Amino acid sequence: MGPENVTDLYRRRHSAGWRERLFRILNPPDLCLPDPAELKIDAPLGRWNLYIGGAGCFVDGYVNVDLFPLPGVTVAASAERLPFRSDLFQRVECDAVLEHVENPGAVVAEIGRVLSPGGYAHFVVPFCHPFHEYPRDYRRYTLDGLKQQAGGLEVVASGWRTGPTATLLVFVLEYVKAWLPWRPARVVAHGVLGWLVFPLRYLDVILRRSPRAGRIGNHCYVWARKNGQTATLRSAPSLSAPRGV
Ligand SMILES: C[S@@+](CC[C@H](N)C(=O)[O-])C[C@H]1O[C@@H](n2cnc3c(N)ncnc32)[C@H](O)[C@@H]1O
């Protein structure tokens, strides 16, 4: 998918046209159930906070940077070269972006540069998740890989945002759609199957406690701090995958 298709996709998502509105109403709920523990860290918003890759989202309290000047975006720029001075932001959100950039090391270095000392960055990336281009899709991360990627900052919490059931459900949907060459058929399959299977997502409430859950987790996260003050963690469960079989 090229840049034009990303902008089309976002425009369709937010269009007030009757077709798009009907589509949004019939669209099944998200199959991935986020773990609320992921957000239980004392990393308050400051005067300036940065949200990376939020095209089409209106994120209160953040400067929203994306490649595309779409609704919700405050500054159109690449996260590989952030147009801000150093030590400015208290919080940086980088959610489902690192897999889409050409040079994730440059993005993490830029986040480290613009974070104020003692500020926090939140990274979320897919591990087991279908190919999805925004506008490209270059890679997947293990939890260890994400911690290593965030290396220049101090990792203070990590774990799985969405678990094995999310993985299973999104792949079942993609598998069924792979059999359907016609877009209208894929749209119907997505709607019908999505509504049928979405209640299964709640199995992750139990399953993400399993020590084996990280072997096929869906998205993992890391909270990282730019040196300085001590974090007060309320909870930071980490589903580690046991070594070996
Ligand atoms: C999967 S979407 C993230 C969605 C958003 N975080 C959310 O959860 O709703 C990835 C976003 O990153 C943006 N993006 C991709 N490469 C980028 C880059 N180099 N700099 C800034 N944004 C980028 C894309 O345009 C897209 O809006």
Side-chain angles (χ1 to χ4, degrees), residues 6 10 13 51-57 65-68 70 73 75 77-82 93-103 107 132-136 138 161:
V6 174
Y10 281 126
R13 257 188 216 167
Y51 195 99
I52 297 177
C57 308
V65 168
D66 200 288
L67 280 180
F68 307 107
L70 288 165
V73 173
V75 178
S78 171
E80 295 175 35
R81 287 175 304 279
L82 289 170
E93 281 291 328
C94 184
D95 183 337
V97 176
L98 288 182
E99 72 272 26
H100 301 294
V101 302
E102 281 180 30
N103 185 348
V107 173
H132 59 292
E133 294 172 292
Y134 281 86
R136 296 276 176 266
Y138 294 106
R161 163 189 282 191

Side-chain angles (χ1 to χ4, degrees), residues 22-157:
L22 185 67
F23 187 79
R24 285 200 291 273
I25 291 167
L26 296 179
N27 205 30
D30 200 343
L31 300 176
C32 306
L33 186 71
D35 183 353
E38 175 205 6
L39 299 175
K40 288 189 179 154
I41 175 173
D42 279 339
L45 291 185
R47 178 161 183 227
W48 294 103
N49 310 286
L50 180 64
Y51 195 99
I52 297 177
C57 308
F58 292 86
V59 278
D60 269 357
Y62 289 88
V63 175
N64 185 353
V65 168
D66 200 288
L67 280 180
F68 307 107
L70 288 165
V73 173
T74 332
V75 178
S78 171
E80 295 175 35
R81 287 175 304 279
L82 289 170
F84 306 109
R85 70 166 169 80
S86 303
D87 301 336
L88 178 62
F89 297 104
Q90 181 62 26
R91 266 262 297 262
V92 178
E93 281 291 328
C94 184
D95 183 337
V97 176
L98 288 182
E99 72 272 26
H100 301 294
V101 302
E102 281 180 30
N103 185 348
V107 173
V108 175
E110 277 294 82
I111 290 175
R113 181 182 67 77
V114 300
L115 262 182
S116 57
Y120 289 84
H122 182 216
F123 297 97
V124 181
V125 285
F127 171 45
C128 299
H129 200 72
F131 184 68
H132 59 292
E133 294 172 292
Y134 281 86
R136 296 276 176 266
D137 189 353
Y138 294 106
R139 62 191 70 81
R140 295 291 176 268
Y141 287 87
T142 61
L143 184 53
D144 283 346
L146 178 59
K147 287 182 198 168
Q148 189 188 45
Q149 185 80 80
L153 299 164
E154 183 194 355
V155 172
V156 294

Side-chain angles (χ1 to χ4, degrees), residues 179-232:
W179 282 100
L180 305 170
W182 312 280
R183 188 170 185 275
R186 289 197 298 275
V187 170
V188 172
H190 182 92
V192 173
L193 205 56
W195 277 103
L196 284 177
V197 301
F198 98 87
L200 293 174
R201 69 185 185 174
Y202 296 101
L203 291 174
D204 270 345
V205 173
I206 303 164
L207 198 51
R208 64 184 163 217
R209 292 173 208 278
S210 157
R212 301 187 67 80
R215 294 181 80 92
I216 51 168
N218 176 248
H219 278 72
C220 53
Y221 70 87
V222 150
W223 280 98
R225 182 180 53 209
K226 180 170 174 177
N227 60 45
Q229 75 209 37
T230 312
T232 317

